[in-house]
Amino acid sequence: MAKLRIKEAADLLGVSDDTVRRWIDTGALAATKDTAGRLVIDGRELATLAVDQARTPQTRVGSASSARNRFPGLVTRVVADKVMAQVEMQCGPFTVVSLMSSESVRELGLEPGSVALASVKATTVVVERAAG
């Protein structure tokens, strides 16, 4: 099983090194020492914490749906011509970009600062293993 250093764990979770150290100090995350005496975290334990820490923001945006990949966020940019538009949203730490008709942008009233819900459906998801 992978053993991750504190900085690697922090980068993967999108938090600071200090946050990971606090979690270790409070017992929320277990750490051991590697052969060089550095604190390391078991990859499986980090994955469990990542799932526990992931929270869907509470929002009333959207309606009931069977889609699981729904990301509430804030529209940050809209580039539109007569036919098509590119809408960029910031959904937590992720940027989601959608291409849609300009008519849809107008009907939805999308503009920077609008609260919206990105629903993602993909028939193919590529997963790569990190080198190292």
Side-chain angles (χ1 to χ4, degrees):
M1 178 51 57
K3 298 288 183 184
L4 303 161
R5 295 181 59 191
I6 288 176
K7 173 144 183 50
E8 293 171 313
D11 288 345
L12 288 168
L13 295 177
V15 298
S16 70
D17 297 8
D18 288 337
T19 297
V20 173
R21 284 187 187 92
R22 257 191 311 280
W23 287 337
I24 292 168
D25 291 343
T26 62
L29 186 62
T32 58
K33 292 195 177 187
D34 65 8
T35 56
R38 298 174 297 206
L39 283 177
V40 292
I41 300 156
D42 180 79
R44 190 169 301 210
E45 171 130 1
L46 188 64
T48 299
L49 179 71
V51 170
D52 290 344
Q53 293 292 317
R55 293 183 189 93
T56 301
Q58 297 299 317
T59 180
R60 295 187 319 207
V61 175
S63 59
S65 171
S66 65
R68 290 182 177 260
N69 300 322
R70 297 167 54 124
F71 306 101
L74 195 62
V75 175
T76 57
R77 186 169 182 231
V78 176
V79 179
D81 62 19
K82 288 183 178 183
V83 178
M84 294 301 294
Q86 176 178 313
V87 177
E88 295 181 16
M89 294 176 58
Q90 194 64 39
C91 302
F94 304 104
T95 300
V96 177
V97 179
S98 176
L99 300 176
M100 65 180 73
S101 69
S102 293
E103 179 181 7
S104 293
V105 168
R106 288 189 298 276
E107 287 177 4
L108 292 170
L110 298 177
E111 60 184 28
S114 299
V115 175
L117 183 72
S119 180
V120 179
K121 180 173 171 109
T123 56
T124 302
V125 176
V126 176
V127 176
E128 297 180 18
R129 185 163 177 189

